[in-house]
Amino acid sequence: MSVRTLPLLFLNLGGEMLYILDQRLRAQNIPADKARKDEWTEVDRKRVMNDITSTMFNKKFLGELFKPQELYSKKALRTVYDRLAHASIMRLNQGSMDKLYDLMTMAFKYQVLLCPRPKDVLLVTFNHLDAIKDFIRDSPVIVKQVDETFRKLIEVYGCLSAGEFQLIRQTLLIFFQDMHIRVSIFLKDKVQNSNGRFVLPTSGPVPWGTDVPGLIRMFNNKGEEVKRVEFKYGGNYVSAKNEGSFDLYGDRGLTLGTNMYNMSQPVETHVSEAPKNLPLNTTKASPAPNPLAKEELNFLARLMGGMEIKKTSGPEPGFRLNLFTTDEEEEHAALTRPEELSYQVINIQAAQDQQRNEELSRIMGEFEVHDQPPQNTSKGDDLLAMMDEL
Amino acid sequence: MMYRRERPLLLRSCPAALYNNLCVLPLPASGLAQFALVHGSNCELLSAVPNGLPLSHRLLHAKEGAGLNLPLITQAYWCVLPFRVLLVLTSQRGIQIYESDGSVMVYWHALDSSDALPAQALFARGIAASGHYICVGTWSGRVLVFDVPAKGPNIMLSEELNEHRMPVTDIAAEPAQGQDCVADVVTADDSGLLCVWKSGPEFKLLTRISGFGIPCPSVQLWQGSVAAGFGDGQIRIFEASSGALHVQINAHARSISALDLAPEAGKLLSGAEDSFVHIWKLSRNPDSGCIEVEHCHAECVTDTLVCGARFCDPKGSSFAVTGYDLAEILRYTCA
């Protein structure tokens, strides 16, 4: 409903994606002198992080993102991340891409749900951006891109009312509705139950601006307090210590949105829908998936048109990253993914009505291998390659 | 006062994390109760006996308009009028009014988007009935008042109230019929502003109670007192005629999402995003005439962001709760 939700959704999901890729790439790191041609090195890892980050924070791309608009479907958004993940020399198979997206979305869903105040989603975003700046700190050009985005966020969201932030929160929760994928790191840390729902703590600090529950104050017509009664509210809260910082730099006051992956833990997901209690006579709850609406295709066209992908020099092989422990596991995961969890990544070429996809066709037409203008070469190859993969 | 959990009602889908996302219509004649909640572009209706399985299920859909995506429904509410009961759905496109069982749509009103700024979200939200009027709030703060005939589809837009400048969150009407109450409607918005009205062919603004920038998601009116729940977890109770604050409760640790009233017992129910539901007893001090509150019951709906809470009978001996990511309506009855 809120037309200001997309930038927050995109940046936070993108941040989670970078956390996961960074952790996975580090886990597969081989020292440069010992690495074979097809193994990851530290240099490769930094390059992938830089490439993806600079694509994500591309000015033209963000310009499109920040335009007031409704949220698009999970399908459409997934396409953007597919593209983003392939913005460098790294390649991901379907199974790994599915798992990556599961982890990203469940992490941000958790962060939104647990935000003390609706406005704190902005602090969560800043936590992601702070960490991203650290990933790419060796590249001042990209750091500048991220700082620009910081400023844009402060400009757009800094003066929104509590009501507008609550609407953003509600819009995000509607987007994440019906997603109950169980994530091992969450199950282990007891922040998620085995039924896929997140734990909502009833203790700890209250949000900034809220009083600890348990007090009733009664006043007379003159405004004087005449009675004060305490009651047992059932939780165990304490006062908030400080408000997080909304500046370019500062203590955000929240751990939500910081990097929860560390080197020692392999990141696992169980891709099973938690058992649902269904009434006996139910028909399948979700309707048959409909093809992307024209508006969504146009949105994708605009966004991807704004993505400038660096050209990889020469016929370099794409390095494949596997989010599973073995290739067999990865393939098995892709094959056995339950139907209702399929992201059904779009096959844009299968869209029949050329009229409907006029903008996308135009862009694709521009990228014909034979007569494209020189500066579009890299975009064309990669875009077509990606389309073919879908 | 103790409440025990009853058999929950299984839902086809989980309710959206929106305010006031449950409405209950008791049908004492048949011993049934009807439940309504919203999810995405649909409104799910069920009917059931107390502690029984759902007997009937119906899904209503948002009326599509031009533009992308199916419009979201923001609220479902049964308006009990003197000669009929109508089910009102508000969405991003407009207002749909049905016969109470959802079988027939009798009226459609499209929202006017002509004066919307580009970054504004458009929707209708906040529904109440007072006498033969149905009041519906909108994103601009405007409250639409519809005049409803005793039967038939000739519902007419009677008036537009322009007191609010922020999106309307909730509207409540005095439940007591025929009581000698001057104030009988209260409207609330995203800034926490409360407006108290006298309904009629021309609504009259009686009191304005300023907000502090914190939304008031839910409001109730009972015997001349306004009970309002806020985004900072407080419940504040005001004298409707003067706007004087009589009670301030640090009730919840997160935003309140729903309030309901059991008018025959003066009981107030509050549900919030902190997973708690509380029951309060309202009363008037015979000496001072001021409103007083007593806490009656606390219920923790573990790990659930409560988005709807309603009493199932006018004495408040039972209540129902909905939650985000919860595929059932929880029911509780006085032990």
Side-chain angles (χ1 to χ4, degrees), chain A residues 166 169 173 177 197 219, chain B residues 19 39 246 273 324-325:
Chain A
Q166 176 66 306
R169 176 183 163 80
L173 289 176
Q177 215 160 333
R197 271 68 176 174
F219 306 88
Chain B
Y19 301 137
H39 166 97
H246 280 173
E273 294 193 13
Y324 177 68
D325 271 355

Side-chain angles (χ1 to χ4, degrees), chain A residues 1 3-4 70-71 109 166 169-170 173 177 180 193 197 200 207 210 213-215 217-219 221 233, chain B residues 14-15 17 19 39 69 72 92 119 121 232 234 246-250 253-254 273 276 278 280 303 324-325:
Chain A
M1 288 208 296
V3 291
R4 290 244 173 259
E70 291 275 350
L71 277 192
K109 176 175 181 173
Q166 176 66 306
R169 176 183 163 80
Q170 290 174 333
L173 289 176
Q177 215 160 333
H180 307 121
N193 293 322
R197 271 68 176 174
L200 298 186
T210 292
L215 183 64
R217 297 170 70 196
M218 287 171 269
F219 306 88
N221 280 315
Y233 60 90
Chain B
C14 303
Y19 301 137
H39 166 97
N69 295 342
L72 294 175
Q92 291 181 284
D232 59 4
Q234 277 201 349
H246 280 173
V247 187
Q248 184 170 293
I249 314 174
N250 296 343
R254 295 283 187 280
E273 294 193 13
F276 282 93
H278 289 287
W280 319 85
D303 298 336
Y324 177 68
D325 271 355

Side-chain angles (χ1 to χ4, degrees), chain A residues 3 13 20 29 81 90 95 121 131 140 161 172 197 205 211 245 253 289 343 361 366:
Chain A
V3 291
L13 288 180
I20 297 161
N29 242 6
Y81 288 106
M90 184 184 71
V121 72
S161 68
L172 286 169
R197 271 68 176 174
D211 293 317
S245 161
Y343 288 111
S361 308
E366 271 176 25

Side-chain angles (χ1 to χ4, degrees), chain B residues 269-291:
Chain B
L269 177 68
S270 65
E273 294 193 13
D274 65 355
S275 75
F276 282 93
V277 169
H278 289 287
I279 298 184
W280 319 85
K281 176 93 176 63
L282 271 57
S283 56
R284 281 241 181 224
N285 184 303
D287 303 319
S288 65
C290 293
I291 303 139

Side-chain angles (χ1 to χ4, degrees), chain A residues 58-187:
Chain A
N58 170 272
K59 200 173 166 127
K60 191 171 161 211
F61 176 74
L62 287 177
E64 280 299 328
L65 208 66
F66 270 85
K67 287 185 183 164
Q69 59 200 309
E70 291 275 350
L71 277 192
Y72 290 89
S73 65
K74 291 188 189 63
K75 250 191 288 184
L77 203 61
R78 160 70 192 261
T79 311
V80 178
Y81 288 106
D82 271 4
R83 185 85 185 86
L84 196 57
H86 289 92
S88 183
I89 52 174
M90 184 184 71
R91 294 285 171 267
L92 289 167
N93 283 347
Q94 174 86 347
S96 283
M97 196 62 222
D98 284 343
K99 178 170 171 174
L100 178 64
Y101 199 64
D102 285 347
L103 288 169
M104 285 158 55
T105 45
M106 288 309 286
F108 189 43
K109 176 175 181 173
Y110 168 70
Q111 289 152 17
V112 171
L113 209 49
L114 262 80
C115 266
R117 292 174 306 175
K119 186 175 181 176
D120 291 340
V121 72
L122 199 54
L123 293 175
V124 172
T125 316
F126 289 165
N127 270 335
H128 280 115
L129 294 192
D130 288 340
I132 290 171
K133 273 167 69 172
D134 189 61
F135 284 146
I136 47 92
R137 63 184 175 277
D138 296 336
S139 308
V141 171
I142 312 176
V143 171
K144 189 153 172 278
Q145 280 178 272
V146 181
D147 276 342
E148 274 306 303
T149 309
F150 244 113
R151 285 192 198 93
K152 182 77 178 165
L153 284 169
I154 293 169
E155 177 196 315
V156 170
Y157 295 94
C159 49
L160 287 190
S161 68
E164 284 168 295
F165 273 112
Q166 176 66 306
L167 194 66
I168 288 173
R169 176 183 163 80
Q170 290 174 333
T171 309
L172 286 169
L173 289 176
I174 287 171
F175 182 83
F176 288 122
Q177 215 160 333
D178 307 323
M179 298 185 70
H180 307 121
I181 294 156
R182 294 175 303 176
V183 178
S184 293
I185 193 175
F186 287 141
L187 292 171

Side-chain angles (χ1 to χ4, degrees), chain A residues 70-72 290 293-296, chain B residues 63-72 92-93:
Chain A
E70 291 275 350
L71 277 192
Y72 290 89
N290 46 355
K294 172 187 177 181
E295 292 81 9
E296 286 192 320
Chain B
K63 195 167 141 75
E64 297 179 53
L68 64 102
N69 295 342
L70 289 172
L72 294 175
Q92 291 181 284
R93 294 277 172 277

